[in-house]
């Protein structure tokens, strides 16, 4: 299971197949731990391909290059 990190916050990574050979890879931050904190919106990248592992790695690399996540683990 892939994990992504925004700062020190660990986020869940989901990979869902769309129509045809399109995939949606989402980095989903955890809900706020304290009342009044803002929740972070999921980060979504859509890619085309047949290999789920390559799609996952590619999407997480894109998010890291954009500076939206700090690191990831596969």
């Amino acid at each position: 299971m892939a994990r992504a990190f925004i700062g020190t916050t660990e986020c869940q990574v989901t990979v869902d197949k769309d129509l045809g050979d399109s995939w949606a890879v989402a980095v989903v931050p955890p809900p706020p731990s304290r009342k009044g904190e803002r929740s972070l919106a999921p980060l979504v990248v859509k890619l085309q391909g047949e290999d789920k592992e390559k799609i996952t790695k590619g999407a997480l690399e894109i998010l890291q290059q954009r500076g939206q996540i700090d690191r990831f683990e596969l």
Side-chain angles (χ1 to χ4, degrees):
M1 173 86 96
R3 299 181 304 169
F5 295 85
I6 300 173
T8 58
T9 305
E10 183 178 336
C11 303
Q12 179 184 2
V13 176
T14 62
V15 183
D16 298 309
K17 189 160 176 94
D18 284 345
L19 298 173
D21 60 352
S22 296
W23 296 83
V25 179
V27 173
V28 183
S33 58
R34 288 182 246 157
K35 187 177 179 179
E37 282 185 341
R38 290 182 43 183
S39 60
L40 299 174
L43 305 170
V44 180
V45 175
K46 290 195 169 204
L47 295 174
Q48 288 186 322
E50 295 179 11
D51 188 334
K52 182 178 178 179
E53 288 77 26
K54 287 181 182 178
I55 293 292
T56 303
K57 183 179 179 188
L60 292 172
E61 287 174 347
I62 288 169
L63 289 171
Q64 188 175 31
Q65 289 170 359
R66 289 182 185 167
Q68 293 179 298
I69 63 172
D70 295 304
R71 65 185 178 92
F72 63 90
E73 298 173 0
L74 298 175

